[in-house]
Amino acid sequence: MNTLKPAKILTIVGARPQFIKAAMVSRALAAFRPTAGQRRFEEAIVHTGQHYDPAMSDVFFEEMDIPRPVVNLHVGSGGHSVTTGAMLEGIERELLSRKPDWVLVYGDTNSTLAGALAAAKLQIPIAHVEAGLRSFNRRMPEETNRVLVDRLSTLLFCPSENARANLAREGIVNGVHVVGDVMYDAVLHYRAKAIAPALDEPYILCTLHRAELTDDPVRLRGLIKMLDEAPHKVLMPLHPRTRKLADRENIVPGTNVCWLEPASYFAMLGYIEHAAFVVTDSGGVQKEAYYLGKRCVTARDETEWTELVACDANRVVGSDPAALRAAFDWAAQPLAENRDVYGKGDASERIAGILADM
Ligand code: UD1
């Protein structure tokens, strides 16, 4: 019998994409069967409360059957420093009382940074899922978060060899493992539950929420106007941040663009699976489009997911409406069959296995 004490993992999540990633890794940690010399896991999830609307948070826990967080810090919305500071304080309290062996963080949000920084100060080792991504654009808050969290992490789980190379260029070579993308695991696991939208005509699925766009009414207005001239109807589940800017600036979609409430994970899988193609500034949606066999037009100046551009699944058009229009014909063409640029869909199990060997 294995008598080793379980490894205590404290997982920090707070924003929508982190719930999706944590769903798969939490499942793999719970299902892990240790062999001789390995420990089993005891995981507790801390929710920072960065995303708090039920449609931005609760629905993911319910659909994806994610273990209930042991605490929600309810930091809510505000400036970067105010919210990150509030997270630091709350996370430190949890770390001191729960004394985990590892802190597990995901992606590049302010919740990721707060989790890593609080852990580093208490000398608790950090495991970072989705390490090594770079946009090389320091105007993005996410880029600052990525660079700092990778610097502080003991285990760095990369989705690709490019991510590993990015880390190597910054001198980070120890503890780096290319495991693939946990979001691919999620698509494979939940695809059968996708909810098809009730619409009989072809449509384009679009999401826009990045600060670089939603803090700039001129850019957002230009893109929405161009979407009105797209070859098909455009379905747009709206992030509250985008909705707020549109309301404030009186940006109203034309008749071709249909604004919707934020979508659940299963609804999103359905929207993408049945779309003609995808337009987005989200990182996760770029990959989900690829996994579900759709081309993606990325409304940003660069992407971290460069492998998708290399295999002609993704085209980066910035926020120039003419470039967006020029990509429509390309986007409507079917995508080549292979789906293997970010691993085999076993990233979560590999992460559990590596943690168990530590
Ligand atoms: C955050 C991440 C971004 C990620 C995105 C996924 C950072 C710096 N950015 O951006 O990388 O792609 O999550 O969605 O962490 N709001 C609500 N209700 C909510 C959540 C947000 O109304 O439940 C509104 C608030 O006005 C808030 C704004 O959206 O101020 C922005 O929210 P915030 O969490 O700061 O950043 P996101 O844009 O969601």
Side-chain angles (χ1 to χ4, degrees), residues 229-300:
E229 292 168 28
H232 306 301
K233 199 170 253 327
V234 178
L235 300 188
M236 239 185 119
L238 275 201
H239 188 296
R241 167 182 207 127
T242 316
R243 168 93 58 187
K244 263 176 214 169
L245 180 90
D247 287 350
R248 200 185 68 214
E249 298 292 329
N250 208 9
I251 299 174
V252 183
T255 51
N256 195 45
V257 178
C258 190
W259 283 3
L260 306 164
E261 292 305 307
S264 74
Y265 185 64
F266 295 170
M268 198 61 186
L269 291 179
Y271 279 135
I272 297 173
E273 188 166 33
H274 297 278
F277 60 88
V278 170
V279 177
T280 192
D281 63 357
S282 151
V285 175
Q286 290 175 53
K287 293 180 291 166
E288 285 164 350
Y290 169 72
Y291 300 141
L292 293 166
K294 303 298 167 176
R295 282 204 154 132
C296 179
V297 182
T298 299
R300 282 183 45 197

Side-chain angles (χ1 to χ4, degrees), residues 15-17 50-53 56 77-78 80 108-111 141-142 145 209-210 239-241 244:
R16 193 163 55 170
Q50 180 175 349
H51 287 175
Y52 46 87
D53 289 351
M56 297 289 287
S77 297
H80 287 284
D108 55 18
T109 74
N110 291 343
S111 297
E142 293 87 354
N145 295 341
H209 78 281
R210 290 275 176 184
H239 188 296
R241 167 182 207 127
K244 263 176 214 169

Side-chain angles (χ1 to χ4, degrees), residues 12-15 18 21 48 50 84 87 91 103-118 126-130 145-146 148-150 152-153:
I12 312 289
V13 293
Q18 293 166 331
K21 293 163 197 166
T48 64
Q50 180 175 349
T84 310
M87 290 180 205
I91 293 168
V103 165
L104 185 55
V105 293
Y106 293 89
D108 55 18
T109 74
N110 291 343
S111 297
T112 319
L113 176 64
L117 194 49
I126 300 152
H128 183 206
V129 177
E130 219 171 72
N145 295 341
R146 292 179 195 122
L148 293 174
V149 172
D150 284 340
L152 297 175
S153 295

